[in-house]
Amino acid sequence: MEVKIEASWKELLQPEFDKPYFELLTSFVRKQYQQETCFPPAKLIFNAYNLCPFDQVKVVIIGQDPYHNVGQANGLCFSVNDGVPFPPSLHNIFKEIQSDLHIAPPVSGNLERWAKQGVLLLNAILTVRLNEPGSHQNKGWEDFTDTTISLINERKKNVVFILWGNYAQQKGKFIDKRKHCVLMAPHPSPLSASRGFFGCHHFSQANAYLQAHHLSPIAW
């Protein structure tokens, strides 16, 4: 199957594109976008990959599925379009960055600036219906993104995996901690942020690890 995605990822993921599950997934997603309001916009479904080629991946942050309200999702986990108010989890992420690195919160919640520095902002599920979180679960996206994580785990070294909450931690449970840095904390949502997300210092820890392995830090 022909899929429009950044060249390095296309080469690595072509075996997935040719599998029966991906054909079924593509058919499902195509019908959903034709018949329902879905997010992100179709051209941004693979935005995380397109903005962060495989050889540039230094950090992986794993989310669950895209924001499901109008105008929010842009294909990067936790990120929203310019001018969109910060959702609660993103607000808490910026609050932790401010505390950890003494950086003032940004004006925009668009995290493309992270992606272009080598942060793969990967949702486990890449699409969703309007106002229905989890509506595209168990259709094949989880297999696809598991393969993505496996490829990074196997073919790269010294990548920082940031896993917030049980869902992300289960998703990344097979990552080789001898080759990579795995940072875990509760999810930044208001329901759990005060249970250990605040004060986790993941942003300074990620940069310290990258610099210790002769990689440039992220300008969070």
Side-chain angles (χ1 to χ4, degrees):
M1 177 177 290
E2 189 67 23
V3 175
K4 291 184 178 179
I5 194 170
E6 189 275 330
S8 64
W9 285 112
K10 185 178 180 67
E11 182 178 352
L12 286 164
L13 291 166
Q14 189 60 51
E16 296 302 297
F17 299 146
D18 293 334
K19 289 179 179 177
Y21 90 83
F22 197 85
E23 291 192 24
L24 291 171
L25 170 62
T26 300
S27 176
F28 167 77
V29 169
R30 188 176 291 124
K31 287 178 182 175
Q32 286 282 290
Y33 273 76
Q34 289 169 350
Q35 298 170 3
E36 308 278 352
T37 300
C38 296
F39 304 113
K43 65 181 180 180
L44 297 180
I45 290 173
F46 294 111
N47 203 27
Y49 298 84
N50 293 336
L51 292 176
C52 188
F54 182 79
D55 64 343
Q56 295 178 25
V57 175
K58 296 190 288 189
V59 178
V60 179
I61 299 178
I62 298 175
Q64 191 160 352
D65 61 353
Y67 294 122
H68 52 85
N69 292 325
V70 174
Q72 289 183 308
N74 61 14
L76 307 174
C77 72
F78 295 106
S79 175
V80 291
N81 289 311
D82 294 330
V84 175
F86 302 163
S89 291
L90 184 60
H91 174 78
N92 286 339
I93 288 168
F94 290 148
K95 188 175 178 181
E96 173 60 20
I97 290 172
Q98 184 175 20
S99 170
D100 188 15
L101 299 175
H102 310 292
I103 298 171
V107 173
S108 173
N110 192 331
L111 303 182
E112 283 189 13
R113 60 188 181 274
W114 294 2
K116 291 175 180 177
Q117 295 178 76
V119 182
L120 183 67
L121 293 159
L122 184 67
N123 277 314
I125 302 153
L126 299 187
T127 55
V128 71
R129 281 195 301 272
L130 170 67
N131 294 333
E132 292 187 58
S135 50
H136 288 185
Q137 283 182 351
N138 303 318
K139 300 296 183 181
W141 280 131
E142 293 93 337
D143 293 334
F144 181 74
T145 53
D146 276 347
T147 298
T148 300
I149 296 165
S150 293
L151 285 165
I152 297 167
N153 179 56
E154 292 164 8
R155 301 198 184 197
K156 296 182 75 76
K157 62 180 181 178
N158 306 137
V159 173
V160 180
F161 289 86
I162 296 179
L163 310 177
W164 295 324
N166 290 334
Y167 187 91
Q169 288 161 21
Q170 287 298 310
K171 185 87 174 164
K173 63 185 176 184
F174 59 84
I175 296 162
D176 187 347
K177 295 180 181 179
R178 297 167 298 178
K179 289 174 61 181
H180 305 289
C181 173
V182 179
L183 302 175
M184 296 191 290
H187 195 276
S189 109
L191 296 173
S192 54
S194 61
R195 294 192 221 128
F197 175 77
F198 290 135
C200 69
H201 301 292
H202 280 181
F203 303 97
S204 60
Q205 287 184 55
N207 279 351
Y209 179 88
L210 293 172
Q211 289 177 295
H213 292 87
H214 312 292
L215 296 165
S216 56
I218 305 299
W220 300 105

